Amino acid sequence: MKDFNSKRFAQFVKWDATINAKLYRTMAIVIFCTTLAFALLHFIVWQIGNGLNASFSLLQRTSFLALMNLVSCCAGFLLHNFRTKPKRILEMTMPASNCEKFLSHVLLTIIGSILVLLASMVVADGIHALLTWAVMDKDQVVSLFSTFDFASTLRTPFSGEVNDDYIVLSYISRIFPHLNLMMYSSIILSFSYYAFSNTVLYKYNIPAAYVIMYVLSMIISISIFIALLAFAHKNSDVPGSTVFSFASVLATVWTAINLALTVILAIATYFRYTKAQLVNRLNR
């Protein structure tokens, strides 16, 4: 890249990490403590449920989604230096290109928070495994990293209870890869979404972005639910295989839209960053 210099980039990363050390340290502590809390909650539910069951599996996926939502919120601090006028002026006068500055913020807020989450999950996984091994049995140890397969939550209720429903389950199993891709693309989109929100509002952007995302999610979910009910009502004689195929296509389209929006928001975030907005009534 023409405007990228590795030495300048390293120097700016060091400066950014130093001047915002308290912020990044707080982010890391919150992520680690939350992950550890979920691991202990998993252990308690495991004890109460006496092993793997649908409730435990659902708790795993719900916890992982909550953690990823927490980490994606860290992207909302991408332009943390622009919250105050002195820091904004200082950053704009630093000897580094816009590309180097922007990538530095991405490295420390987004990639850094993801790495902290993975490290926290390793530690929490070890603590969870030791507790399970000590109280129950080593054969009962289950890795928390199994939460990466979101769609397995749907499979859990059918485990060990399959009788005459093999055909239906075979159709349902075809949707799982599409559901996983859809969920992961939604998580990736949330990073770009929160980062973009910080270019619109320098302060209080995370709660504002969360409320907007929640409202939009409710509207979209209700609309899709109503559309599916209408489809099922008008096409009650359609074979189940056709319905599941339609659901797979819908999940694939959703994934494509998520990825397209991710790219668009990422480009828009960088573009707005290079403009280095002046203080206005929304960003005082």
Side-chain angles (χ1 to χ4, degrees):
M1 296 174 65
K2 185 177 179 180
D3 296 333
F4 186 84
N5 181 283
S6 58
K7 290 185 178 179
R8 286 201 313 254
F9 173 70
Q11 291 174 352
F12 188 84
V13 170
K14 182 179 180 180
W15 172 83
D16 192 12
T18 301
I19 197 173
N20 293 310
K22 183 178 180 180
L23 170 66
Y24 297 135
R25 184 166 54 248
T26 301
M27 288 167 54
I29 292 174
V30 170
I31 292 174
F32 175 76
C33 291
T34 305
T35 305
L36 184 60
F38 276 129
L40 295 177
L41 180 60
H42 290 164
F43 175 73
I44 294 173
V45 173
W46 182 275
Q47 285 289 95
I48 296 175
N50 194 29
L52 184 63
N53 52 51
S55 298
F56 179 81
S57 181
L58 182 61
L59 173 63
Q60 281 186 302
R61 277 75 192 179
T62 303
S63 300
F64 184 73
L65 285 175
L67 287 172
M68 291 308 301
N69 187 54
L70 173 64
V71 173
S72 64
C73 286
C74 293
F77 294 103
L78 189 71
L79 306 185
H80 181 73
N81 289 338
F82 283 17
R83 286 173 60 90
T84 61
K85 190 174 181 179
K87 279 189 177 182
R88 182 162 60 250
I89 295 175
L90 183 59
E91 173 163 335
M92 292 172 62
T93 56
M94 286 292 291
S97 66
N98 285 330
C99 177
E100 293 158 0
K101 295 175 184 178
F102 185 79
L103 290 179
S104 171
H105 295 317
V106 171
L107 175 65
L108 293 174
T109 57
I110 298 178
I111 299 179
S113 60
I114 293 175
L115 292 177
V116 169
L117 174 62
L118 292 176
S120 300
M121 289 185 67
V122 170
V123 175
D125 210 21
I127 295 175
H128 179 267
L130 289 175
L131 289 174
T132 304
W133 194 347
V135 176
M136 300 181 72
D137 186 79
K138 65 179 181 180
D139 296 330
Q140 298 292 325
V141 176
V142 177
S143 174
L144 300 179
F145 282 94
S146 61
T147 57
F148 285 124
D149 183 10
F150 295 103
S152 62
T153 302
L154 301 177
R155 281 194 289 265
T156 304
F158 298 103
S159 300
E161 300 177 8
V162 178
N163 37 56
D164 299 328
D165 299 326
Y166 287 106
I167 297 179
V168 176
L169 290 176
S170 67
Y171 287 135
I172 294 177
S173 64
R174 299 176 188 176
I175 308 177
F176 294 152
H178 303 281
L179 289 178
N180 278 323
L181 288 176
M182 184 182 72
M183 293 301 298
Y184 277 115
S185 64
S186 298
I187 292 173
I188 295 173
L189 173 60
S190 67
F191 281 95
S192 288
Y193 171 72
Y194 279 109
F196 178 76
S197 73
N198 203 195
T199 66
V200 179
L201 288 174
Y202 295 147
K203 298 179 181 180
Y204 314 116
N205 60 297
I206 294 178
Y210 181 82
V211 171
I212 294 174
M213 182 176 66
Y214 181 81
V215 173
L216 289 177
S217 299
M218 289 296 295
I219 294 174
I220 294 174
S221 300
I222 294 174
S223 300
I224 292 177
F225 180 72
I226 294 175
L228 289 176
L229 284 180
F231 176 81
H233 179 71
K234 293 181 179 180
N235 303 276
S236 57
D237 56 339
V238 174
S241 58
T242 303
V243 176
F244 289 119
S245 297
F246 174 74
S248 298
V249 172
L250 185 62
T252 302
V253 171
W254 194 313
T255 300
I257 293 175
N258 284 341
L259 294 178
L261 288 175
T262 299
V263 174
I264 292 173
L265 287 177
I267 294 175
T269 300
Y270 178 72
F271 178 77
R272 291 180 65 87
Y273 174 77
T274 58
K275 292 299 181 180
Q277 300 178 93
L278 299 176
V279 177
N280 56 46
R281 63 185 181 85
L282 296 177
N283 299 320
R284 294 183 187 281

